[in-house]
Each structure stands twice: as structure tokens, then as C-alpha cells.
């Protein structure tokens, strides 16, 4: 007996070309690797990329969690408020006075003081040697001393600060009050660090159902870090306004009378969100509260009619409930006291008549 064996796939594997499974969402995987008998490890290089969308299926690309959340950039550690070096104002006054006195002495030395000035100062006349190199050098030194002395005088006020810079580099912040001397070569930027209130204009918003609203908010804030508020952004007030607008676009605000949420809850959510967004730029936000919430002009008429219809339906429901309770109470009292004996037909007729009478009476009262 002759046994014929059919060729196995293993014997023909060397003659067949390797087939591949390939599409837009997977990498190239040889088919023979999916049916290997040996338990050896198989390493298939996979790209750690986002799975692409398949054409014709309508499937959206699936993003990893790390791709969906964009981390907030950390503030520059070098851009932090620090006190600047200033001197008392008396130093500047003394230096300026010395400069002016030096110029006067140099003029007397050169013989340029008029006779009236000499008589007023009771200084003996001096012929002088004229304006030479020594006199010009003395003029330059005394003039520079006077300019630096009087030019660096500044007056600090309560609730105001100066951000100092030199050649584009931050040099410190001055929060002192009174007369002081600041290097006149430094660029000064005045910043208001008092507690401030900002009432914005009507801004676009939406409720939980997506209905367009116009919201007026009151923001209580102050500048906490003058360096980041001045140098971290172009204009911290504009940045604050943009943060409030972005928060209103993300937090639903319910219109008054809707009954689906409170304005206080929306204010707390807005305060937390805006405070977190403005903290990296040195602005501290204490409160963001909606003052006036109204529907947008394009939907105001429709929402007004909807509100009136809802109030009318609520009124009708209240009236109907009151009428039913009155009819039930009347029929029950008449029956329990034995004033009337009613069968089912008569009871239904009495209930119908009482209902019509009570509804008519309530309608006349409402009118």
C-alpha cells in the first residue's frame, strides 16, 4: 500500500514570497510571522505615532492623553520681582548742590562771575585766568555731578511702584515711598499695585444649552509681581480682559430665572479659571462675578416668548391643581356629612359642574 503525502506549508515556505498585511492604520507585518510554530520572540517595530484616520470610515484620529493636554509653560525664574537698589533722597540733593556749587566756584575761578554776584555773595574779586582746559574739566565734573544728583531724584507714592531696567535688562522694582535717589540712566516704568476693580463691557457667553448670552462681569484684581506683569506680557490689563473672555467661553452662565444653575456657582468657576490663567504673569485675581446676564439681541425676542409661555404653563398647572383639590375637598365633605347621597353618575356630574364653576371663578380672579 502506497501512501502519498501532500506537501506541507512548511515545505513550500521557501518557494512562496512573503505576503504582507498593510493599510493606513497599521505597520507592515509579514503573514508568516503570525503563524510561527517556534516560541522565539518576534520583534515588530511599531511607530509611536498617533493612529491615522481610515479613509471612508469616518473614524477620527485617536490622540494619546499626553497629546490632548498641553502643559502650561512655566514662568521664567529669572523674571521675578526683586527690590532695586536706591539711595535716600538726601544723597541726591547733596550731590546736586555740590555740583551747582562746583560750577559757581569754577566760574569764580575763571573770572566769569559778574560784579553784582560777587557783591551779593561777599566774595572778593578775582581776575581769573579765563576758560582753559582745567576750567572746562571742572565745569564738566561739576555739571555731571549736578545732573546725576538732581536728575535721579524721585518721589515714591503709596500704591505705586517703579520697574527699573537698563539696556533691556530687568534691574529691580522700587516700592518705597517718599523722596529717593534712583540712577537716572535706568528706564522707569510706573505700575499701579493697588487693589483695583474692573467692570467690563458686555461679553459673549452661552448657557448650558448653548443659547447666546451677553454678560457684564466685575473683576477684583491687583498686580502682585510687577516684573512679570510688566515684562512678561505686552499689556497685563489686556491680557486679563482676554482671559476673562476665554473663561466666559468655557464656563456656562445661566440666565436669571432659568432655574438650572446659580450665578454664584458660575462666578466661583470663573474666578478659579481666571486666577489660574493670570497667576504666571504676576496678576492676582480675587473675584470674577457676573453683574448682568441677558440674552443676545439675536435670540432675545424668541427667549422672551419662550419665557412667557413657560410662565403661562406653570400658572395653568397651578390653577388646575388648586381646582382639583377644591373639587375633591367639596365632594368629600358633602358625602361624609351626609348632606347628599350620590351614585357614580351623579358624582361625575357634580365633579364636572364644580370643576367648571371653580375654573370660571379662578379665571375671573386672574383677569
Amino acid at each position: 500500500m502506497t501512501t502519498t503525502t501532500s506537501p506541507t506549508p512548511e515545505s513550500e515556505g521557501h518557494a512562496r514570497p512573503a505576503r504582507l498585511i498593510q493599510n493606513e492604520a497599521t505597520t507592515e507585518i509579514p503573514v508568516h510571522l503570525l503563524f510561527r510554530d517556534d516560541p522565539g520572540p518576534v520583534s515588530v517595530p511599531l511607530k509611536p505615532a498617533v493612529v491615522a484616520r481610515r479613509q471612508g470610515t469616518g473614524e477620527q484620529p485617536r490622540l494619546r492623553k499626553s497629546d490632548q493636554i498641553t502643559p502650561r509653560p512655566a514662568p521664567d525664574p529669572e523674571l521675578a520681582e526683586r527690590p532695586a537698589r536706591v539711595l535716600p533722597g538726601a544723597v541726591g540733593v547733596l550731590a546736586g548742590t555740590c555740583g551747582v556749587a562746583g560750577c559757581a566756584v569754577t566760574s569764580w575761578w575763571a573770572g566769569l562771575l559778574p560784579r553784582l554776584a560777587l557783591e551779593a555773595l561777599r566774595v572778593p574779586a578775582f581776575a581769573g585766568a579765563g576758560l582753559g582746559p582745567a576750567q572746562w574739566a571742572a565745569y564738566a565734573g561739576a555739571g555731571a555731578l549736578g545732573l546725576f544728583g538732581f536728575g535721579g531724584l524721585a518721589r515714591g507714592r503709596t500704591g505705586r511702584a517703579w520697574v527699573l531696567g537698563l539696556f533691556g535688562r530687568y534691574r529691580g522694582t522700587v516700592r518705597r515711598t517718599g523722596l529717593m535717589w534712583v540712577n537716572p540712566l535706568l528706564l522707569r516704568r510706573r505700575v499701579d499695585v493697588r487693589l483695583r476693580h474692573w467692570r467690563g463691557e458686555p461679553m459673549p457667553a452661552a448657557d448650558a444649552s448653548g443659547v447666546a448670552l451677553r454678560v457684564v462681569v466685575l473683576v477684583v484684581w491687583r498686580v502682585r509681581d510687577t516684573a512679570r506683569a510688566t515684562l512678561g506680557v505686552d499689556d497685563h490689563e489686556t491680557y486679563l480682559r482676554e482671559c476673562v473672555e476665554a473663561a466666559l467661553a468655557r464656563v456656562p452662565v445661566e440666565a436669571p430665572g432659568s432655574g438650572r444653575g446659580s450665578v454664584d456657582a458660575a462666578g466661583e468657576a470663573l474666578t478659579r479659571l481666571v486666577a489660574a490663567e493670570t497667576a504666571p504673569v504676576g496678576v492676582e485675581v480675587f473675584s470674577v462675578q457676573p453683574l448682568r446676564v441677558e440674552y443676545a439681541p439675536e435670540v432675545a425676542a424668541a427667549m422672551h416668548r419662550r419665557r412667557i409661555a413657560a410662565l403661562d404653563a406653570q400658572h395653568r398647572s397651578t390653577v388646575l391643581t388648586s381646582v382639583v383639590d377644591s373639587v375633591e375637598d367639596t365632594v368629600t365633605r358633602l358625602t361624609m356629612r351626609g348632606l347628599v347621597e350620590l351614585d357614580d353618575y351623579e358624582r361625575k356630574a357634580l365633579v364636572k359642574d364644580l370643576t367648571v364653576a371653580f375654573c370660571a371663578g379662578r379665571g375671573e380672579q386672574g383677569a
Side-chain angles (χ1 to χ4, degrees):
M1 182 177 182
T2 305
T3 303
T4 305
T5 60
S6 60
T8 61
E10 289 80 358
S11 62
E12 297 180 359
H14 63 278
R16 295 181 180 179
R19 293 177 296 175
L20 301 178
I21 296 177
Q22 181 180 2
N23 57 21
E24 296 178 0
T26 60
T27 57
E28 299 181 359
I29 304 176
V31 177
H32 67 278
L33 294 179
L34 303 176
F35 305 95
R36 289 175 59 96
D37 295 330
D38 54 332
V42 179
S43 60
V44 180
L46 297 178
K47 300 179 179 179
V50 180
V51 178
R53 178 176 61 86
R54 298 181 181 178
Q55 295 182 356
T57 61
E59 181 182 354
Q60 298 297 327
R62 299 189 299 273
L63 301 179
R64 296 189 300 268
K65 185 177 181 180
S66 60
D67 296 335
Q68 295 175 357
I69 301 176
T70 303
R72 184 178 298 156
D76 189 0
E78 297 182 358
L79 193 61
E81 181 178 334
R82 60 179 182 270
R85 298 178 180 178
V86 295
L87 297 177
V91 176
V93 174
L94 180 60
T97 304
C98 292
V100 174
C103 291
V105 171
T106 304
S107 299
W108 176 78
W109 181 24
L112 300 178
L113 285 179
R115 184 177 300 275
L116 294 178
L118 293 175
E119 293 178 356
L121 296 175
R122 296 180 181 180
V123 177
F126 182 71
L131 291 177
Q135 287 76 10
W136 283 116
Y139 269 125
L145 183 61
L147 290 177
F148 265 79
F150 288 123
L153 291 177
R155 184 181 62 176
R157 298 181 180 179
T158 304
R160 303 294 178 90
W162 274 313
V163 177
L164 306 181
L166 181 62
F167 303 118
R169 185 176 180 181
Y170 175 63
R171 290 296 184 180
T173 299
V174 179
R175 287 181 178 261
R176 296 176 55 179
T177 58
L179 188 63
M180 68 189 76
W181 185 85
V182 183
N183 188 352
L185 298 179
L186 298 177
L187 178 63
R188 309 174 191 177
R189 297 183 182 180
R190 187 180 293 274
V191 182
D192 192 346
V193 295
R194 296 174 297 180
L195 188 66
R196 304 171 64 182
H197 294 72
W198 172 64
R199 178 170 179 170
E201 64 279 359
M203 301 181 184
D207 59 5
S209 302
V211 180
L213 302 174
R214 290 293 183 271
V215 181
V216 177
V217 297
L218 177 65
V219 184
V220 182
W221 63 284
R222 71 173 180 180
V223 175
R224 185 174 184 179
D225 192 314
T226 57
R228 292 177 179 174
T230 307
L231 306 176
V233 290
D234 188 15
D235 187 359
H236 60 274
E237 296 184 6
T238 304
Y239 182 79
L240 175 62
R241 180 168 56 252
E242 293 175 353
C243 288
V244 173
E245 293 179 357
L248 285 174
R250 297 169 59 182
V251 177
V253 180
E254 299 299 335
S258 61
R260 291 177 294 183
S262 62
V263 179
D264 295 337
E268 294 178 1
L270 289 172
T271 301
R272 291 194 301 268
L273 188 59
V274 176
E277 293 293 335
T278 57
V281 297
V283 176
E284 185 177 9
V285 176
F286 296 95
S287 174
V288 181
Q289 293 296 330
L291 293 183
R292 187 174 72 248
V293 182
E294 57 187 14
Y295 291 105
E298 58 270 16
V299 298
M303 297 306 298
H304 181 66
R305 290 193 297 267
R306 180 180 177 182
R307 179 62 178 167
I308 292 177
L311 292 176
D312 184 63
Q314 183 179 2
H315 175 69
R316 289 177 181 273
S317 177
T318 303
V319 170
L320 181 59
T321 302
S322 177
V323 168
V324 171
D325 293 340
S326 300
V327 171
E328 182 182 5
D329 183 64
T330 302
V331 175
T332 301
R333 288 187 177 184
L334 290 175
T335 305
M336 292 183 62
R337 294 183 180 182
L339 298 178
V340 292
E341 295 182 359
L342 303 174
D343 55 8
D344 293 341
Y345 178 79
E346 294 176 345
R347 183 184 299 274
K348 292 180 180 179
L350 179 61
V351 168
K352 179 179 179 181
D353 295 339
L354 291 175
T355 302
V356 173
F358 286 156
C359 287
R362 295 298 176 88
E364 292 178 358
Q365 293 179 1

